[in-house]
Amino acid sequence: MMSRNPDQAGTLRRMHEHQGRATAALQMPATRVLSVTSGKGGVGKTAVVSNVAVSLARLGKKVLIIDADLGLANVDVVLGISPPYNLNHFFSGECTLAEIMVEGPHGVKILPAGSGVQQFTHLDGQLKMRLIDALDTLDEHFDVVLIDTEAGISDNVTYFNVAAQDILIVTTPEPTAITDAYALMKLLSTQYHQKRFLLAVNAIRNANEGLDVFEKLTMVSGR
C-alpha cells in the first residue's frame, strides 16, 4: 500500500467521505478490498477469511489480512502465528504498521489485532484516519485486502464494511445467525446505502440448506 499506488487505501479513505455525499468509484482498482463480516459471532467468519487468503496466495496473489476485530482478535490463532505486536500497539503510537505486519502461511501478510483489550474497540475519527494514512505508506502492493471485522453492528463494524469494495456476510442456518445477518444488512443498507452483499452460508449439511438460507434473506431483504 504505497503512496504511489493510492488506490489501495483509496477505498478506505472514501469511507471518511462517504456520509452525506456520493463517492466516485475507482477506475481499474489495483487492489480488491473485501470485508468479511457477520451479525452473530461463532459462524466461522475468521475461518472463511483464513481459507480465502491462503487459497488466493496459492494462486499467486499477494494478500493482506487486516484483523479488524480489535477486542477479540483470533486470526493469529487460526493461522498458527504468534505476533509480537498488534494493532493496539499502532493505535497507542508504539509501532508502525510495517513493524506490526507478520507473514503467515503461503506468504499471506497479516496486520494482527489484540485480544482482551477494550480500549480500541470503538475507534474515533482521528484513529480511523491514522490507520488510513498508515495503510497508504506501507511499502508493499497487495492484490487483495481481506478485512476480518468483529461480529455485530458496532461503529467499527460499519466503518470497515463501508470501507470495502465488497461485503461478504457469513452466517449459518441457525435462526439467530440468519436474523443477525439480516439486521447487519439492513443497517448497512438503510444507514450507509450499501445495496449489494455477498453471502457465505457456513456449516450446512448440503447445498439445498444453503440455498434455503439465501432465499430467506433475499425475500426479507426485498420486502
Side-chain angles (χ1 to χ4, degrees):
M1 290 186 165
M2 301 174 285
S3 57
R4 57 182 178 274
N5 288 304
D7 50 302
Q8 284 201 5
T11 303
L12 292 174
R13 190 178 300 282
R14 293 205 310 278
M15 168 58 198
H16 181 67
E17 305 168 348
H18 184 275
Q19 296 183 3
R21 60 186 185 272
T23 55
L26 296 174
Q27 294 183 354
M28 298 180 64
T31 301
R32 202 69 190 167
V33 182
L34 172 70
S35 67
V36 183
T37 191
S38 65
K40 182 179 183 295
V43 297
K45 173 175 51 62
T46 300
V48 170
V49 170
S50 302
N51 282 301
V52 169
V54 169
S55 296
L56 289 171
R58 286 174 172 171
L59 293 173
K61 303 295 184 181
K62 297 196 69 175
V63 182
L64 171 68
I65 297 175
I66 301 176
D67 192 341
D69 190 343
L70 302 178
L72 295 170
N74 56 12
V75 167
D76 53 336
V77 176
V78 172
L79 292 177
I81 58 176
S82 299
Y85 305 107
N86 57 59
L87 285 170
N88 289 343
H89 295 95
F90 166 77
F91 290 124
S92 64
E94 299 174 60
C95 296
T96 66
L97 288 188
E99 292 170 331
I100 293 168
M101 187 181 296
V102 294
E103 184 170 317
H106 300 277
V108 173
K109 298 297 179 65
I110 302 112
L111 288 175
S115 184
V117 179
Q118 193 177 29
Q119 182 178 0
F120 300 111
T121 54
H122 298 283
L123 298 179
D124 60 27
Q126 183 178 6
L127 289 177
K128 290 173 183 176
M129 288 309 299
R130 276 189 57 201
L131 176 60
I132 290 169
D133 291 337
L135 288 169
D136 271 336
T137 64
L138 284 178
D139 192 23
E140 190 165 358
H141 170 77
F142 296 98
D143 299 306
V144 181
V145 175
L146 298 171
I147 305 175
D148 184 11
T149 80
E150 64 182 279
I153 56 173
S154 72
D155 181 64
N156 278 3
V157 172
T158 56
Y159 171 75
F160 284 110
N161 277 316
V162 179
Q165 291 159 316
D166 292 299
I167 301 172
L168 174 62
I169 306 283
V170 181
T171 187
T172 68
E174 200 262 325
T176 58
I178 297 173
T179 300
D180 290 350
Y182 170 70
L184 175 59
M185 292 166 62
K186 181 179 179 180
L187 175 68
L188 291 170
S189 176
T190 58
Q191 300 296 318
Y192 298 94
H193 312 293
Q194 301 299 304
K195 301 299 182 184
R196 181 176 179 273
F197 302 94
L198 306 174
L199 179 67
V201 186
N202 207 6
I204 57 174
R205 292 168 292 183
N206 51 60
N208 286 336
E209 190 174 21
L211 289 171
D212 182 58
V213 174
F214 169 78
E215 290 171 356
K216 287 178 180 177
L217 282 171
T218 299
M219 179 180 64
V220 71
S221 298
R223 289 176 180 173

